[in-house]
Amino acid sequence: MLEIRQLSVAVEGKEILHDINLRIGTGETHILFGPNGGGKTTLLMTIMGFPKYKVTQGKIFFKERDITKLPPDERARLGFGISFQRPPVVRGVKTSDMLAACLRKRASEEEIDRLAVKADLADFLDREINYGFSGGEIKRSELMQLMAQKPQLVLLDEPESGVDLVNIALIGDMINELLEKSCPIYDRKCMGLLITHTGHILDYVNARTGYVMYDGRLACEGDPHEILATVREVGYEHCVRCQKGRILDDWDKIK
Amino acid sequence: MTGTKSSKILKDKARASANKPAALGEDIDLKSYVSSAEEQPYQSDPAELPAKTKAQMLDAGVMLDDISQRSGTYIQMDNAPVHSSIKQEGIEVMAVSQALAKYDWMADYWWQAVAVDADKYTANVELNQHDGYFIRALPGYKTLFPVQACLYLAKAELAQHVHNIIIAEEGSELHIITGCTTASKRESGLHLGVSEFYIKKGARVTFTMIHSWNPEVAVRPRTAAVVEEDGLFLSNYLLMKPVRSLQMYPAAECVGENAIVRYNSILVAAAGSSLDVGSRAILNARGARTEIVSRAITTGGNITARGYIEGNAPEVKGHLECRGLILEDGGKIHAIPELKGNLAGIDLSHEAAVGKIAEEEVEYLMARGLSREEATATIVRGFLRVDIEGLPPLLSTELRRAVEASEKEVM
């Protein structure tokens, strides 16, 4: 289980996240909605432990262990994995090198090839990572690296943005495999937190819990499909106007 | 190449320029070096050389115990050739003094690409001529394995003056690996090396040069290439070991249509090393192309990384890529990419970047489970990895091995 308690986070001295509380049980997938600039990516980056995101208050627990101060590599080795929205180009480092790094002891040519075929990136293994990749290729490459890593906590930052309709089903399949969606929930070892701005990925990935995040606060917990339907109807502007986080059931009254 | 310059004219020009400082780089006091050394015994079997010497040469890519994967071998210690041999028909490898005696047409090549009076270093190579290598591929012949050449500084405080001539006749293919190194890992020395390349119509030359000097050695190579129609000159330069002062700015001139020149340089400057290294391509014929790539890392030394492309003919194309990485404070990298276009319809571009390792890249790799040290090492290794199109696999492997062998000292 991932548990976040009363978390506040500052970036370059400015507090971005305020008093976040979140619990993701093993086997569950939670969805983060919200307008751009609302703090969704900041939350994911903080969970992964990047030093730029300073925890000013609160704690993060993974399997009941306080990991608030661990660097990202140690979190990765504990089973955290993140797909970046805009990963950097690392010149001279090939896609196959990245897969080998993710696979660690399990690295073999066969496994690297298998993953590349699965992500439809077989021709990309010799290319420098992210160099000249299209938006969709970046997403598939990120998910492919996660499949190599086999994380228990899967953090996905807008995995469907910039992906065309042909590839979105493939992206969905990869996410479902990462989250062990084919297993019943009690057999899964993984959990996921997924950012989506548009919600398109919900047509492919099943989830029961969602939140709207805006202005650095987590609010409006509820069924992601209902949240999406509401957001489509009234827009995120409504969330910005609504200064109090509410449970979705109250939304009818707000409207 | 026209006319024959008499040796007197050359000597006169050289004498007039004997003290002429070079346009670039620290002015080396030639008087602080000795110019004569004892004769070195000729070795008919290079494997008979002392083990320590062979190990030093191997560091510079020259393998002597087993020369089955070499089409030819030339070794010069100080100012004397100690071995030359060939293993393949159609390839000539010999001391340049021998070639001068054998071929009266050598004057057509001698100081035809490099000006004898360019600076005091070229002038002194002419005035204190101490051999060098002559490597030639006869028309249509292709080397199966590379030819190797080693220029070795054995005596301390010596000035080594060499003049090399490389000719790839029409339709030939010549792959060369040269290593330059010193016996002493601390005493001073000076290497002055003139190299002139003549790449005839449709010929291909790859030239891979590995330098392994010491922190007290000064080096002034003076290299130029003339590339004819459909010819290819691919030059790779690797310098990862300390050196006191090294300045070179080789130039390749494409004189024939569709000639191609490619340079790749990997430079590492430790504290105390001063490097001023660049590559120039002059595109003088329609459709000529060039690509110049350099990677410079400083761990405390100073690097000036230059590049120059000049387009003087229609439909020429050139790209210059110059990237520098500062791994430790105290080091400096000055990238100077230059482009000069002299007519419409040419396509020249460059990209240059100097900086430290991007934290974002380190964190990206850390998110995949690599420690900070592993992530940094992976990025540096990637930075140094230059995949060289057109280099035979054997040489690619050897070049990669040479880079890997020095990587640890960098990190």
Side-chain angles (χ1 to χ4, degrees):
Chain A
M1 189 204 298
L2 176 79
E3 187 176 0
I4 295 173
R5 285 189 209 150
Q6 295 177 317
L7 185 78
S8 294
V9 174
V11 178
E12 288 163 3
K14 187 177 177 231
E15 192 170 289
I16 306 288
L17 300 182
H18 320 285
D19 197 27
I20 304 287
N21 290 286
L22 177 71
R23 283 161 75 108
I24 304 175
T26 304
E28 296 174 6
T29 301
H30 292 209
I31 308 291
L32 270 181
F33 297 97
N36 288 328
K40 304 188 297 293
T41 296
T42 299
L43 179 58
L44 249 60
M45 299 306 245
T46 306
I47 296 172
M48 196 64 220
F50 293 112
K52 187 178 148 192
Y53 302 86
K54 304 255 186 273
V55 174
T56 54
Q57 183 200 298
K59 282 188 161 43
I60 305 172
F61 296 88
F62 183 63
K63 296 180 180 170
E64 292 165 19
R65 176 179 171 191
D66 180 357
I67 56 102
T68 317
K69 292 201 165 69
L70 287 189
D73 54 320
E74 287 184 41
R75 294 190 203 199
R77 290 195 288 270
L78 277 181
F80 287 40
I82 186 164
S83 83
F84 290 80
Q85 202 185 347
R86 288 185 203 87
V89 171
V90 190
R91 297 298 302 267
V93 175
K94 294 179 178 179
T95 305
S96 56
D97 299 332
M98 287 301 287
L99 283 178
C102 293
L103 286 161
R104 298 226 131 201
K105 285 182 188 144
R106 290 174 286 117
S108 69
E109 228 167 86
E110 297 73 43
E111 185 59 8
I112 287 171
D113 288 342
R114 188 188 72 82
L115 289 163
V117 167
K118 197 159 215 167
D120 196 15
L121 291 171
D123 296 340
F124 285 65
L125 287 175
D126 273 342
R127 283 178 55 176
E128 293 168 287
I129 190 74
N130 302 326
Y131 186 66
F133 285 24
S134 72
E137 286 155 0
I138 282 180
K139 302 298 174 190
R140 280 184 278 136
S141 154
E142 288 292 297
L143 292 173
M144 173 174 72
Q145 291 173 55
L146 289 186
M147 289 171 85
Q149 246 183 301
K150 292 191 179 215
Q152 287 178 28
L153 174 65
V154 180
L155 305 166
L156 305 176
D157 194 349
E158 299 208 23
E160 84 276 39
S161 73
V163 178
D164 58 37
L165 280 172
V166 182
N167 279 307
I168 196 161
L170 174 58
I171 294 276
D173 286 346
M174 292 173 82
I175 294 172
N176 285 329
E177 186 173 330
L178 274 170
L179 294 168
E180 303 174 299
K181 290 290 192 189
S182 59
C183 300
I185 192 162
Y186 49 84
D187 274 350
R188 293 180 203 150
K189 291 183 186 67
C190 294
M191 61 202 93
L193 181 59
L194 193 159
I195 293 178
T196 177
H197 184 70
T198 60
H200 293 317
I201 198 68
L202 293 180
D203 295 340
Y204 302 89
V205 177
N206 195 16
R208 297 210 191 102
T209 312
Y211 314 86
V212 176
M213 186 158 204
Y214 61 87
D215 208 11
R217 290 174 207 280
L218 209 51
C220 304
E221 181 177 338
D223 181 292
H225 293 276
E226 285 185 44
I227 293 180
L228 186 61
T230 311
V231 166
R232 280 184 178 152
E233 195 185 325
V234 301
Y236 284 126
E237 298 78 22
H238 185 93
C239 305
V240 176
R241 281 199 302 276
C242 168
Q243 290 299 308
K244 292 175 195 163
R246 310 264 171 126
I247 299 295
L248 191 70
D249 296 343
D250 297 338
W251 270 49
D252 288 337
K253 289 173 221 159
I254 298 166
K255 280 194 283 183
Chain B
M1 286 149 282
T2 52
T4 303
K5 292 191 182 172
S6 78
S7 80
K8 180 167 184 320
I9 295 172
L10 288 170
K11 286 275 187 282
D12 286 346
K13 279 184 156 187
R15 264 188 290 272
S17 303
N19 297 309
K20 178 182 172 186
L24 303 169
E26 175 203 344
D27 190 42
I28 305 291
D29 178 11
L30 301 180
K31 290 189 199 75
S32 56
Y33 300 93
V34 296
S35 71
S36 60
E38 309 89 69
E39 281 291 303
Q40 302 281 349
Y42 187 84
Q43 297 281 350
S44 54
D45 180 1
E48 303 278 300
L49 284 166
K52 186 178 164 232
T53 308
K54 285 191 291 183
Q56 288 168 330
M57 291 184 179
L58 191 61
D59 264 357
V62 176
M63 43 177 72
L64 299 176
D65 281 332
D66 175 12
I67 53 172
S68 63
Q69 294 199 316
R70 295 292 187 247
S71 287
T73 297
Y74 175 87
I75 302 164
Q76 175 162 343
M77 291 176 111
D78 293 340
N79 289 319
V82 298
H83 176 85
S84 74
S85 60
I86 45 166
K87 287 260 177 201
Q88 196 197 322
E89 196 193 343
I91 307 298
E92 296 180 334
V93 177
M94 64 185 90
V96 82
S97 56
Q98 209 183 330
L100 284 164
K102 186 174 178 182
Y103 296 125
D104 53 10
W105 45 253
M106 277 292 277
D108 295 344
Y109 300 93
W110 197 247
W111 294 115
Q112 294 298 319
V114 174
V116 66
D117 54 359
D119 55 36
K120 67 192 216 184
Y121 309 115
T122 54
N124 277 277
V125 167
E126 172 61 19
L127 296 172
N128 305 292
Q129 171 63 44
H130 290 122
D131 243 309
Y133 52 78
F134 171 85
I135 301 174
R136 178 177 175 227
L138 298 181
Y141 278 90
K142 296 178 194 304
T143 46
L144 299 172
F145 293 110
V147 172
Q148 65 179 356
C150 182
L151 301 170
Y152 185 81
L153 264 177
K155 188 182 157 72
E157 288 164 23
L158 182 92
Q160 185 178 47
H161 303 81
V162 294
H163 191 158
N164 310 309
I165 299 283
I166 299 94
I167 303 170
E169 300 287 358
E170 277 192 23
S172 66
E173 194 171 312
L174 188 53
H175 302 287
I176 302 169
I177 180 163
T178 76
C180 297
T181 187
T182 85
S184 161
K185 287 299 153 199
R186 43 174 206 283
E187 289 183 279
S188 81
L190 172 67
H191 171 86
L192 301 178
V194 171
S195 301
E196 300 185 272
F197 289 80
Y198 298 93
I199 295 144
K200 306 286 183 70
K201 188 176 171 184
R204 298 167 63 88
V205 171
T206 77
F207 181 72
T208 300
M209 179 157 82
I210 300 176
H211 274 179
S212 175
W213 303 108
N214 79 37
E216 297 304 325
V217 171
V219 184
R220 293 291 182 269
R222 294 292 180 259
T223 302
V226 178
V227 191
E228 296 183 7
E229 187 180 339
D230 294 322
L232 167 78
F233 178 52
L234 169 55
S235 168
N236 306 305
Y237 178 58
L238 183 65
L239 173 75
M240 295 181 75
K241 298 281 194 328
V243 61
R244 184 172 71 76
S245 168
L246 188 146
Q247 185 274 321
M248 65 175 195
Y249 206 2
E253 186 187 359
C254 293
V255 297
E257 288 191 5
N258 302 315
I260 300 175
V261 169
R262 287 209 295 268
Y263 287 102
N264 296 286
S265 311
I266 293 176
L267 312 169
V268 176
S273 292
S274 171
L275 315 181
D276 186 329
V277 176
S279 310
R280 285 175 287 180
I282 317 296
L283 309 176
N284 283 341
R286 179 185 291 271
R289 280 177 291 149
T290 188
E291 188 181 44
I292 299 175
V293 174
S294 79
R295 298 276 188 275
I297 290 185
T298 170
T299 57
N302 291 335
I303 302 177
T304 302
R306 298 175 193 275
Y308 179 83
I309 303 175
E310 186 178 314
N312 298 320
E315 293 160 45
V316 299
K317 197 172 168 151
H319 184 68
L320 183 54
E321 183 187 302
C322 196
R323 292 172 56 210
L325 198 54
I326 299 171
L327 288 186
E328 272 170 49
D329 286 338
K332 285 195 193 91
I333 297 177
H334 185 178
I336 310 177
E338 288 185 87
L339 305 176
K340 186 174 176 191
N342 288 324
L343 76 169
I346 60 167
D347 176 3
L348 307 181
S349 59
H350 77 73
E351 55 180 303
V354 175
K356 57 177 183 158
I357 291 180
E359 183 61 17
E360 187 195 18
E361 294 174 27
V362 174
E363 289 179 359
Y364 183 52
L365 293 166
M366 287 175 77
R368 304 295 183 234
L370 300 188
S371 68
R372 180 166 285 278
E373 292 69 32
E374 289 170 329
T376 306
T378 302
I379 292 166
V380 171
R381 204 174 300 125
F383 182 85
L384 290 173
R385 175 149 74 195
V386 182
D387 288 329
I388 297 163
E389 191 193 327
L391 194 65
L394 176 75
L395 279 176
S396 290
T397 308
E398 288 184 24
L399 188 59
R400 187 163 305 145
R401 207 182 296 142
V403 172
E404 282 166 6
S406 302
E407 257 170 18
K408 286 189 190 81
E409 294 161 40
V410 176
M411 292 169 196

